[in-house]
Amino acid sequence: QVQLVESGGGLVQAGGSLRLSCAASGRTFSRNAMGWFRQAPGKEREFVASIAWSGGSISYGDSVKGRFTISRDNAKNTLYLQMNTLEPGDTAVYYCAANSNSWSSSVKSSADYWGQGTQVTVSS
């Protein structure tokens, strides 16, 4: 069974940092694009960041550019999201996602596997 399990969420003050991890199991995603989305209460799901299978083709949503950094370790089948200078507007459930197509470069428009989400709350 394929699973994406996020961890690292929590409560942090504005200006602080958190590092999210997404551990994949059941299959390797070393040949697949992976990324992060988030959803705040009452809002639509929002694209956060994406990274190609190779570690290239990195893209970010406009609201997190310059503050968040996505990375991956294919040997560990794990995806990361370093979040710095957090703002109350970053409060949301953060979801890890993966594209099922091999050699894919992005999940922004094609995410086929999803994690259960991890809550990030930023207090002012």
Side-chain angles (χ1 to χ4, degrees), residues 3-44:
Q3 281 191 312
L4 299 176
V5 180
E6 303 95 337
S7 62
L11 174 63
V12 64
Q13 288 189 332
S17 298
L18 283 174
R19 188 193 195 202
L20 305 184
S21 297
C22 171
S25 62
R27 60 161 284 180
T28 178
F29 285 98
S30 61
R31 298 178 181 178
N32 304 83
M34 299 185 73
W36 295 92
F37 292 78
R38 69 186 183 185
Q39 188 165 21
K43 295 187 177 181
E44 292 186 353

Side-chain angles (χ1 to χ4, degrees), residues 11-90:
L11 174 63
V12 64
Q13 288 189 332
S17 298
L18 283 174
R19 188 193 195 202
L20 305 184
S21 297
C22 171
S25 62
R27 60 161 284 180
T28 178
F29 285 98
S30 61
R31 298 178 181 178
N32 304 83
M34 299 185 73
W36 295 92
F37 292 78
R38 69 186 183 185
Q39 188 165 21
K43 295 187 177 181
E44 292 186 353
R45 187 167 57 199
E46 176 187 12
F47 168 75
V48 174
S50 179
I51 185 168
W53 66 275
S54 61
S57 299
I58 290 176
S59 62
Y60 296 98
D62 289 341
S63 60
V64 307
K65 282 180 182 176
R67 299 187 298 121
F68 290 11
T69 302
I70 189 172
S71 62
R72 64 189 297 164
D73 185 335
N74 286 341
K76 296 182 178 179
N77 218 18
T78 301
L79 178 73
Y80 303 99
L81 184 69
Q82 178 66 44
M83 306 186 294
N84 297 330
T85 320
L86 284 161
E87 304 167 352
D90 295 318

